[in-house]
Amino acid sequence: MAYADLREFLETLDRNGQLLTYSEPVNPEPDLGAAARATANLTDRGPALLFDNINGYEPGKGRVALNVVGSWPNHALMLGLDKDTSVKDQFFEFAGRWDAFPGPVERRDDAPWQEVTITEGIDLFHLLPLFRLNRYDVGCYIDKAAVISRDPDDPDDFGKQNVGIYRIQVKDKDRLGIQPLAAHDLGLHLQRAEERGENLPIAIALGNEPAITTVAGMPLAYDQSEYEMAAAIQGAPYRITKAPLTGLDVPWGSEVVIEGEIIAGEREIEGPFGEFTGHYSGARRQPVVRVHRVTHRRNPIFEHLYLGMPWTEMDYTLALNTSVPLYRQLKAEFPEVAAVNAMYTQGLLGIISVKQRFGGFAKAVGMRAMTVPHGLAYCKVIIMVDEDVDPFNLAQVMWALSVHYHPLHDTVTIPNLSILALDPSSDPAGITHKVILDATTPVAPEERGHYSQVVGDPEGTADWENIIKGLLK
Amino acid sequence: MTDTTVNSTICPRCGAENVRVLTTSPVPGRWTMYVCDTCIYSWRSTEPRSATDPLTYPAEFKIDPAEIPSIPAIPTVPPRRR
Ligand SMILES: [Zn+2]
């Protein structure tokens, strides 16, 4: 199921009762951040929010969309599935579509964002109802836009063109701060541009259909195209259009395309910003973007993402594109791996279900998770469960931990491994011990405990699940 | 309406008197945004006092302007190729 643009996706959410339009007057702060936080606090089945009467903007014109993929029903609709699809089923659907990579792209030159062009007197605060998200953020941010750049050493390579999401501080009407970490593709592009003594052209595409936003957060290989992955995930060609100033390929359906360049050699104070760890990241000196051209739809919608203490929209959008690559990498070596749930704080904690080949096997798989690419910065706590425990069902996982896990035999602590520096427990920042909690049932030659008399489901339970599900509809 | 008593001269975060108007509301008279050109903190005249007033801005988020040049650069600037 492919959505042409954000507006079409919002219409779909609306038809499914998953969009709330709020037209009473609100202030940019603290109302918008508070409303998004409140929705995440209340439920994991919550709606997207659309505000169209924001103080300082003409009613109906300055519009903000929040929490667009901020719940499991919205995530299912993003994939074109029934909104009640279970998380486990969404996981396997997502993993299956990944296999269709690379999908085709469709180049078009008639993008709706070509309606209005601004090259003089750019004021992003007038174009978009920018607002402070969390109380002690240093200012207004853009945090859900697709940032597009090319490799300055190989500018014609479509696969090396990167689409990623980076936090962007709006420092002035036409000047931004951006956070391209050295390990990110954008960081590599910037490094090469700076080695050449050149500024790095970028395009910032705001307000997109949800597939590219999801894919932009995936850990793809350096030369894999996010657009070709978005095509695979949505099961249809992905539409792209050349941005007028930079020639970068941007989504056809975007609301706003901001073009400019990262200034070579310049670093300026950025942050703090409330991060997905539930803590603020401190201030750092980071690269600066000068904006040269903005092209946009009339009355564009500013799509924004609330993040902070989990769970927030950030966790829903990253849940499966963190879990699925880990699953694929482990499965390649250990076919016994049944499913991976690495959706807690982007996989700082993960749960892996596996059929044990022999005693000690689950512990080995847990250690392997810590050494796959994502594991080098995450996977601080790994919980291993049997293959018939659904790792997305925390009631089942807690049951396994409470009755299968033996603290003496099933705790593996590995000292001084690498971790995301944003993990506030790491000490020094970026270094931590990691732990495996093995909650699988012991198998030979490890024979201990009393596990032979499991209470199974009564006969016909699966049929009754369907009967009752139908009656509840 | 713009609160004319809102602080527009001293940065709530770093204390520098290096503040200017960043922008004003598209619908005139609703709000003004200010920015500090020393620490790049910005605030809106309609925000709660905790964001706009140096006296109520929390100590743990304040910054000394003298420390800014020594904050680590991320990513570092690589040497030019020859
Ligand atoms: Zn300041």
Side-chain angles (χ1 to χ4, degrees):
Chain A
M1 171 73 210
Y3 299 100
D5 55 17
L6 174 65
R7 296 178 192 208
E8 190 179 314
F9 185 56
L10 292 178
E11 283 163 19
T12 301
L13 293 178
D14 197 23
R15 270 202 311 281
N16 283 274
Q18 289 294 128
L19 175 70
L20 267 184
T21 301
Y22 195 89
S23 300
E24 299 294 314
V26 294
N27 266 317
E29 301 89 7
D31 293 340
L32 295 172
R37 174 76 265 178
T39 308
N41 287 352
L42 285 172
T43 171
D44 63 358
R45 301 185 55 81
L49 306 174
L50 184 64
F51 291 90
D52 59 8
N53 189 358
I54 298 162
N55 186 17
Y57 298 86
E58 294 285 351
K61 285 195 177 168
R63 290 186 287 175
V64 172
L66 286 160
N67 211 48
V68 171
V69 187
S71 66
W72 290 120
N74 290 19
H75 193 279
L77 291 166
M78 181 262 286
L79 293 171
L81 304 172
D82 183 276
K83 70 172 178 176
D84 295 324
T85 307
S86 72
V87 182
K88 191 180 181 186
D89 287 348
Q90 292 191 46
F91 169 84
F92 284 115
E93 180 67 27
F94 199 87
R97 292 191 196 179
W98 191 298
D99 293 332
F101 175 84
V105 296
E106 178 189 345
R107 295 178 180 279
R108 295 179 56 152
D109 54 15
D110 61 343
W113 48 258
Q114 291 160 343
E115 276 182 338
V116 184
T117 297
I118 315 174
T119 54
E120 299 287 323
I122 294 168
D123 185 343
L124 294 175
F125 293 87
H126 279 204
L127 178 67
L128 305 164
L130 300 168
F131 61 98
R132 192 193 313 276
L133 206 50
N134 279 304
R135 196 178 299 184
Y136 300 119
D137 290 348
V138 70
C140 300
Y141 274 76
I142 293 170
D143 69 4
K144 205 186 178 183
V147 178
I148 299 104
S149 61
R150 282 184 181 260
D151 183 339
D153 287 341
D154 198 358
D156 297 327
D157 189 310
F158 181 73
K160 290 182 185 170
Q161 176 174 253
N162 182 58
V163 184
I165 295 178
Y166 303 89
R167 76 184 211 198
I168 297 170
Q169 182 188 346
V170 185
K171 295 181 157 184
D172 207 340
K173 295 175 199 175
D174 58 356
R175 202 166 57 94
L176 313 168
I178 194 163
Q179 186 180 52
L181 299 183
H184 294 159
D185 291 353
L186 178 60
L188 192 59
H189 292 174
L190 177 63
Q191 181 194 329
R192 290 182 178 164
E194 290 186 321
E195 285 170 353
R196 298 164 67 102
E198 298 167 1
N199 295 340
L200 181 72
I202 62 166
I204 300 167
L206 246 166
N208 297 301
E209 54 66 45
I212 194 63
T213 315
T214 301
V215 167
M218 275 185 189
L220 298 185
Y222 181 61
D223 59 356
Q224 289 182 334
S225 164
E226 283 79 7
Y227 293 128
E228 291 174 344
M229 181 56 88
I233 296 297
Q234 71 178 15
Y238 198 83
R239 289 180 187 171
I240 55 174
T241 300
K242 286 231 175 289
L245 179 67
T246 54
L248 292 160
D249 297 306
V250 301
W252 174 88
S254 300
E255 294 283 318
V256 176
V257 176
I258 297 168
E259 291 178 277
E261 50 191 356
I262 303 183
I263 309 303
E266 198 167 323
R267 300 290 185 271
E268 184 184 70
I269 184 168
E270 190 268 6
F273 181 61
E275 274 287 358
F276 68 92
T277 56
H279 293 77
Y280 287 90
S281 74
R284 296 282 185 273
R285 288 188 302 119
Q286 294 187 352
V288 172
V289 177
R290 207 173 292 145
V291 175
H292 297 308
R293 185 183 183 116
V294 179
T295 324
H296 66 90
R297 294 185 183 210
R298 283 199 185 82
N299 305 326
I301 299 171
F302 173 41
E303 190 203 11
H304 203 34
L305 175 141
Y306 178 83
L307 78 170
M309 200 174 290
W311 270 55
T312 69
E313 184 183 5
M314 180 95 170
D315 299 289
Y316 295 98
T317 56
L318 290 177
L320 297 191
N321 57 22
T322 307
S323 301
V324 168
L326 203 53
Y327 167 72
R328 290 169 55 92
Q329 287 159 10
L330 291 174
K331 186 101 179 157
E333 292 168 327
F334 303 113
E336 296 83 359
V337 171
V340 175
N341 173 359
M343 61 190 196
Y344 299 99
T345 321
Q346 288 188 30
L348 281 177
L349 185 151
I351 304 157
I352 300 170
S353 65
V354 65
K355 181 171 173 50
Q356 290 217 89
R357 223 186 280 166
F358 41 76
F361 186 74
K363 294 180 177 72
V365 173
M367 278 195 274
R368 183 72 185 97
M370 293 173 181
T371 58
V372 302
H374 190 72
L376 300 184
Y378 294 87
C379 298
K380 179 173 65 176
V381 180
I382 292 290
I383 301 170
M384 301 301 302
V385 295
D386 287 321
E387 80 279 13
D388 54 357
V389 171
D390 174 359
F392 295 97
N393 184 330
L394 289 190
Q396 291 184 19
V397 174
M398 291 302 120
W399 166 77
L401 257 184
S402 60
V403 301
H404 289 160
Y405 167 72
H406 188 300
L408 177 63
H409 303 294
D410 292 324
T411 310
V412 182
T413 307
I414 306 161
N416 297 315
L417 297 184
S418 60
I419 193 82
L420 176 84
L422 276 178
D423 175 1
S425 75
S426 67
D427 189 16
I431 295 291
T432 186
H433 287 24
K434 295 189 179 182
V435 67
I436 298 163
L437 306 178
D438 184 359
T440 57
T441 315
V443 298
E446 200 179 19
E447 274 152 5
R448 54 183 166 82
H450 309 279
Y451 298 114
S452 64
Q453 296 181 331
V454 175
V455 185
D457 288 348
E459 208 175 317
T461 298
D463 298 334
W464 274 100
E465 282 182 13
N466 287 327
I467 293 169
I468 289 169
K469 235 190 274 176
L471 290 172
L472 283 173
K473 279 237 160 166
Chain B
M1 291 300 108
T2 296
D3 178 356
T4 50
T5 65
V6 81
N7 162 46
S8 62
T9 53
I10 299 174
C11 174
R13 180 183 180 217
C14 78
E17 296 184 35
N18 193 15
V19 173
R20 65 182 164 87
V21 170
L22 171 56
T23 190
T24 56
S25 51
V27 175
R30 297 295 184 84
W31 44 255
T32 302
M33 287 190 80
Y34 303 96
V35 64
C36 166
D37 279 327
T38 296
C39 76
I40 327 290
Y41 179 76
S42 60
W43 67 99
R44 196 187 318 260
S45 56
T46 48
E47 284 194 81
R49 286 263 166 195
S50 58
T52 65
D53 186 340
L55 294 174
T56 50
Y57 193 84
E60 60 270 32
F61 286 97
K62 292 212 181 210
I63 188 167
D64 179 351
E67 288 173 7
I68 294 175
S70 57
I71 291 175
I74 296 185
T76 53
V77 180
R80 287 277 293 273
R81 284 182 204 157
R82 313 184 135 263

